[in-house]
Amino acid sequence: MDSALIPKGVKRCSLGKFTLVIAVAGAVLLWGVYAMLLCWIKGLNQTNMNNYYGFALWIWADLAVIALGGGAFFTGFLKYIVGKDELKHIINYAVLIGFICYSSALLILAIDIGQPLRGWFIFWHANIHSMLTEVAFCLTCYFGVLTIEYVPLVLENRQLNKVPFFHNLAHNMHGIMAVFAATGAFLSFFHQGSLGGVAGVLFGRPFGYREGVFAWPWTFFLFTWSAAAYGPSFTLMCTKILEKASGKQLVKDNVVDLLAKISGWMILTYIIAKIADTIYWALVTAPSKGHTLMDFYSNNPVYGIWILVLEIVIGGIIPAIILVTPRTRRNGYLRMAAIILGVIGVCANRWVMVLQVMAVPVMPFDFWAMYYPSWQEVATTILPVAYGIILIALSYRYLPIFPQEPELNPVD
Amino acid sequence: MKKAVDHTKPKRYGMVIDLDKCTGCGACMVACFAENNIPFKKDESEKLLSITWMRVYKLSNKKKYPDTDICYLPRPCMHCEGHEGHSPCVSVCPATVTDYSTETGIVSQIYTRCFGCRYCMAACPYHARYFNWWDPIWPKGMEKMLSPDVSVRMRGVVEKCSFCYHRYQRAKDKAYVEGRPDIEEEEYQTACTQACPARAITFGDLNNPKHKVYELKQDPHAFRLLERLGTNPKVYYVSSREWVRKSGDNYLRHEEPGHIETKH
Amino acid sequence: MFPGFFEWIWDGGHMLFMGALWYALGIIGLGLTYCIFKAAIETAQGKGKGHGEEHH
């Protein structure tokens, strides 16, 4: 029924089956929208946040989703600036994932603030010394860049491309995409970094605080690095999921191998830097404030050394070794296992740097602030996942996301 | 709008609280609630959701009977100066809502500008900042009894102790009308200071040798909470008990209060 | 956000931060404007017809 919209040279499932997928994801989306509206209409008392624990589950999701969406800027940087031309076969999907991730992040922020209608004050009354200001500006601008990168893809829909203006516009945008990619990489460097800076500048919270260079704590650079490292892994994970769902190979092995190799080396170099930073913080910074390492990992029901091991060993060292070693990287199962562990690792890092910071007591007579999310928080956190599934489903069905798909799956 | 030129010396308003006198009665908390139109819900049993600009903590030396000892510690906002005016909360606010005044040493808050990101709450190690999770609902008739000098806050904004700044403004206005350039110590006192039946709280200009706090802060048993973090708070505590002084900061096993090597 | 509004001061921090921001926004804006105008001119010249089946 909608075959006129489907790209030439590829096959898609029946419209009925497709509608079912959209309906199921849509139901989850609606649940999330309901929770979102409750938060906007009734206020943040719908969550389990309190005056000791002011950051919710969705803030972790916000940071995680921005880190994972880092595949967009880094793949763009590798393709357009460094010149890794093979990545042109996966860059469209990376951009789509990035678009979903960043639009979700902005939505979450709109829900999280106490006065959403005043959200524009962060631009109008900007305190340029605040890390969060830098986050807001660069996030918004980079989302603009992602939209600019996604629009030509939409305009390449079979029917839209017939309109001469749309065709010419898409063609011209592709022509100067390197300019947008470079600007996007510049903006990403800063907002990924300043998200790390959000925790790193808190000199009142020894668990999060890091020394650094000039105004930038070391977490600034570590966050940018980890986003560039783990983002491509997430792109590969999403590619695998879509391949499983569609029953087709969408990208050639050499492209996957290249991106996995780059991701592996980035993770390896990142984790070495992270270990060095953790050691310095544990042996110098924290003791200068009167804390030992175990102060942050004991006397509470949840946070133990296990989370440090999860983040650095299971989520860092192991996937790095698997991905940099050609033999293990070329084994599909090991590669996917490494990618999944990497995604878990970066999510654990974002949890630690935002949510564990809030839990750790600072005044000696104070207590650990334990927290569990309310259903409204869970629903609004799952909302971006449902939205992502819907947008990926729509884009995959109607847009030429994967240039190698017709070659890998010839249609009679 | 041009500010009127103030030719008086800059002040650093602060407090000295004698923990050996505090009985934990909570009169300071109640006075603060009344003075500053602090909102409350029907059910205030969930303490972590309560707004308590002034909050009394109960400390214990954690020893067994007969050596058990407790101490009550009133905690207002510390009005941290940080390093050259960089309070932990002021530095992080993305919308310039909170500001450190070099004239009074008070950290202010613009409620109508705050959009409730709660970053300042994350930055404050003293948990002195509170969020309005609900809109205030005053019991019928109470809206007529609200303090007229203090604006009521709405849902979604952060608030904190202001050292009763409206009383400073009132005292300044009175002094101006009377042709005096400066205000007297007793003309500007916070509600909690005046309410304390044990006179445990002393408030004044830490820079002014004529004010009581100037001398009290130099007591060898005076300490500030979490001094090692570099927040430079303006609330001093005094106690003759060493365990109480040691409870004011984090120390490694081999460290003694007052004998710390500080890097900065 | 703009010079002269509210807390804007001409110090190094503002000039660096806002300078970099407006520079990046300028590049994006100019690039987009160029694409749109060029596409409009090319469409007027009759380019782009009959290309419905191509994709990148």
Side-chain angles (χ1 to χ4, degrees):
Chain A
M1 218 164 87
D2 60 345
S3 52
L5 291 169
I6 292 171
K8 263 234 156 181
V10 296
K11 249 178 92 169
R12 293 286 178 261
C13 70
S14 69
L15 188 59
K17 210 168 160 185
F18 178 72
T19 312
L20 187 64
V21 168
I22 299 288
V24 170
V28 177
L29 183 92
L30 282 176
W31 179 54
V33 168
Y34 173 58
M36 178 181 84
L37 291 172
L38 277 177
C39 291
W40 274 341
I41 295 167
K42 289 194 167 184
L44 291 174
N45 53 71
Q46 296 291 297
T47 67
N48 281 350
M49 285 190 279
N50 55 52
N51 293 316
Y52 260 59
Y53 208 88
F55 286 158
L57 178 74
W58 59 45
I59 284 299
W60 161 74
D62 195 71
L63 265 80
V65 110
I66 290 173
L68 296 171
F73 93 85
F74 196 58
T75 314
F77 170 76
L78 289 168
K79 198 264 174 196
Y80 291 107
I81 313 300
V82 176
K84 295 276 178 205
D85 205 51
E86 308 99 299
L87 295 176
K88 71 176 182 243
H89 302 296
I90 202 168
I91 185 76
N92 292 341
Y93 196 39
V95 163
L96 172 62
I97 292 167
F99 180 85
I100 292 166
C101 287
Y102 280 79
S103 50
S104 302
L106 287 169
L107 178 69
I108 288 169
L109 287 174
I111 303 170
D112 176 66
I113 56 178
Q115 285 276 336
L117 291 174
R118 293 185 193 173
W120 60 284
F121 285 178
I122 202 170
F123 304 108
W124 194 239
H125 293 290
N127 170 14
I128 52 134
H129 301 292
S130 168
M131 284 289 170
L132 217 51
T133 305
E134 198 172 324
V135 169
F137 273 105
C138 295
L139 236 162
T140 313
C141 296
Y142 183 61
F143 178 63
V145 170
L146 277 169
T147 310
I148 288 168
E149 289 178 334
Y150 183 49
V151 159
L153 206 55
V154 174
L155 296 179
E156 276 165 1
N157 169 268
R158 215 165 110 195
Q159 298 305 318
L160 288 175
N161 208 238
K162 285 182 181 162
V163 177
F165 177 71
F166 288 157
H167 171 81
N168 293 328
L169 183 59
H171 179 76
N172 290 328
M173 286 173 93
H174 275 302
I176 64 161
M177 199 47 79
V179 172
F180 295 124
T183 317
F186 172 78
L187 290 167
S188 270
F189 174 83
F190 280 102
H191 79 250
Q192 296 283 2
S194 45
L195 279 168
V198 161
V201 295
L202 299 179
F203 66 93
R205 298 264 185 179
F207 181 73
Y209 177 69
R210 296 293 188 277
E211 293 170 47
V213 61
F214 293 122
W216 300 306
W218 295 123
T219 40
F220 184 101
F221 307 102
L222 288 172
F223 263 51
T224 304
W225 207 330
S226 55
Y230 292 101
S233 277
F234 185 65
T235 305
L236 289 173
M237 188 175 103
C238 293
T239 307
K240 193 72 194 171
I241 292 172
L242 191 55
E243 285 180 340
K244 280 266 178 244
S246 62
K248 303 185 184 98
Q249 188 182 1
L250 299 168
V251 179
K252 281 187 183 165
D253 292 340
N254 68 319
V255 179
V256 170
D257 191 69
L258 175 65
L259 202 57
K261 184 171 83 171
I262 294 172
S263 184
W265 281 103
M266 290 292 289
I267 295 173
L268 184 67
T269 45
Y270 158 72
I271 212 69
I272 291 169
K274 176 73 182 170
I275 289 169
D277 172 72
T278 305
I279 290 172
Y280 183 80
W281 162 76
L283 295 181
V284 179
T285 314
S288 72
K289 316 273 178 201
H291 289 279
T292 62
L293 180 71
M294 286 316 291
D295 283 349
F296 305 125
Y297 297 101
S298 54
N299 296 319
N300 75 92
V302 172
Y303 296 105
I305 285 291
W306 67 267
I307 204 165
L308 197 59
V309 171
L310 174 70
E311 186 200 328
I312 294 182
V313 179
I314 298 172
I317 297 171
I318 292 174
I321 291 172
I322 293 174
L323 293 176
V324 302
T325 312
R327 207 167 43 113
T328 47
R329 184 177 66 243
R330 281 165 196 157
N331 178 314
Y333 293 109
L334 283 175
R335 183 177 63 232
M336 192 39 56
I339 283 168
I340 292 170
L341 288 178
V343 167
I344 291 171
V346 74
C347 290
N349 168 260
R350 291 331 192 232
W351 181 284
V352 162
M353 291 311 287
V354 169
L355 295 193
Q356 191 176 348
V357 174
M358 297 304 284
V360 179
V362 188
M363 292 190 290
F365 48 86
D366 224 340
F367 48 86
W368 278 82
M370 285 292 115
Y371 150 89
Y372 61 88
S374 66
W375 75 261
Q376 294 90 330
E377 293 172 63
V378 174
T380 40
T381 302
I382 292 177
L383 165 65
V385 178
Y387 151 64
I389 289 172
I390 291 173
L391 198 60
I392 288 175
L394 283 167
S395 302
Y396 172 64
R397 189 175 179 83
Y398 298 125
L399 305 177
I401 306 264
F402 297 100
Q404 291 173 324
E405 190 192 346
E407 187 190 334
L408 288 165
N409 306 278
V411 170
D412 313 309
Chain B
M1 200 164 91
K2 270 209 161 110
K3 274 172 73 173
V5 176
D6 189 345
H7 294 289
T8 57
K9 266 173 55 191
K11 300 165 182 56
R12 278 176 72 239
Y13 283 107
M15 269 178 193
V16 178
I17 301 177
D18 191 333
L19 296 177
D20 296 337
K21 285 184 182 163
C22 178
T23 61
C25 70
C28 53
M29 290 176 69
V30 174
C32 174
F33 295 164
E35 181 78 10
N36 295 292
N37 305 330
I38 306 293
F40 52 91
K41 308 181 292 298
K42 273 206 179 108
D43 179 2
E44 282 283 320
S45 51
E46 181 50 68
K47 296 300 170 205
L48 292 180
L49 292 171
S50 296
I51 298 182
T52 49
W53 289 13
M54 169 63 96
R55 181 180 162 174
V56 178
Y57 283 85
K58 181 179 175 182
L59 279 60
S60 158
N61 66 351
K62 297 190 178 69
K63 288 203 171 117
K64 282 193 154 71
Y65 175 84
D67 298 317
T68 320
D69 194 10
I70 57 165
C71 172
Y72 290 99
L73 187 144
R75 188 241 59 224
C77 169
M78 299 284 141
H79 294 272
C80 305
E81 193 176 345
H83 179 65
E84 288 177 1
H86 288 104
S87 328
C89 57
V90 170
S91 320
V92 301
C93 177
T96 340
V97 167
T98 181
D99 183 48
Y100 178 84
S101 165
T102 42
E103 283 167 22
T104 57
I106 290 175
V107 175
S108 59
Q109 183 86 357
I110 306 174
Y111 305 124
T112 43
R113 194 185 281 189
C114 177
F115 60 82
C117 73
R118 307 184 301 287
Y119 192 13
C120 57
M121 289 172 71
C124 178
Y126 306 103
H127 294 290
R129 286 174 162 275
Y130 296 89
F131 188 74
N132 281 278
W133 303 100
W134 285 266
D135 269 312
I137 298 173
W138 310 106
K140 198 167 178 304
M142 188 177 166
E143 65 277 359
K144 296 195 187 77
M145 289 157 49
L146 294 174
S147 175
D149 293 330
V150 180
S151 42
V152 168
R153 288 73 61 189
M154 64 192 295
R155 178 184 103 191
V157 305
V158 173
E159 57 180 64
K160 65 169 194 70
C161 155
S162 60
F163 271 174
C164 290
Y165 187 76
H166 55 285
R167 290 183 168 204
Y168 172 73
Q169 288 174 313
R170 219 190 288 153
K172 285 288 276 188
D173 288 346
K174 185 164 175 283
Y176 177 79
V177 161
E178 291 169 6
R180 289 181 283 124
D182 226 335
I183 59 177
E184 302 298 320
E185 183 182 4
E186 59 277 5
E187 283 185 318
Y188 169 37
Q189 288 292 311
T190 60
C192 52
T193 307
Q194 292 183 327
C196 179
R199 304 224 182 159
I201 305 176
T202 314
F203 178 82
D205 178 9
L206 296 165
N207 275 353
N208 190 333
K210 292 193 191 141
H211 286 214
K212 288 194 215 70
V213 288
Y214 182 86
E215 199 189 313
L216 287 170
K217 79 166 199 257
Q218 288 165 69
D219 189 313
H221 288 155
F223 67 96
R224 293 178 293 176
L225 287 180
L226 301 175
E227 242 176 293
R228 295 177 80 165
L229 296 182
T231 51
N232 201 354
K234 283 209 219 50
V235 177
Y236 288 76
Y237 295 91
V238 176
S239 178
S240 58
R241 296 171 280 176
E242 202 198 322
W243 75 264
V244 172
R245 294 197 297 277
K246 198 148 185 188
S247 301
D249 215 327
N250 293 292
Y251 299 98
L252 301 172
R253 211 166 280 171
H254 62 273
E255 288 174 332
E256 283 298 320
H259 294 92
I260 311 297
E261 280 174 34
T262 42
K263 253 184 90 178
H264 315 284
Chain C
M1 191 171 165
F2 297 107
F5 282 72
F6 290 100
E7 282 86 11
W8 180 283
I9 42 172
W10 289 103
D11 67 342
H14 275 82
M15 294 205 275
L16 190 66
F17 184 92
M18 290 302 182
L21 173 81
W22 288 112
Y23 184 68
L25 283 175
I27 292 178
I28 295 168
L30 278 170
L32 203 56
T33 311
Y34 162 79
C35 286
I36 293 171
F37 270 92
K38 190 158 181 265
I41 291 165
E42 283 171 353
T43 310
Q45 288 171 347
K47 290 193 187 140
K49 283 200 178 107
H51 282 270
E53 306 306 314
E54 266 176 43
H55 56 81
H56 215 260

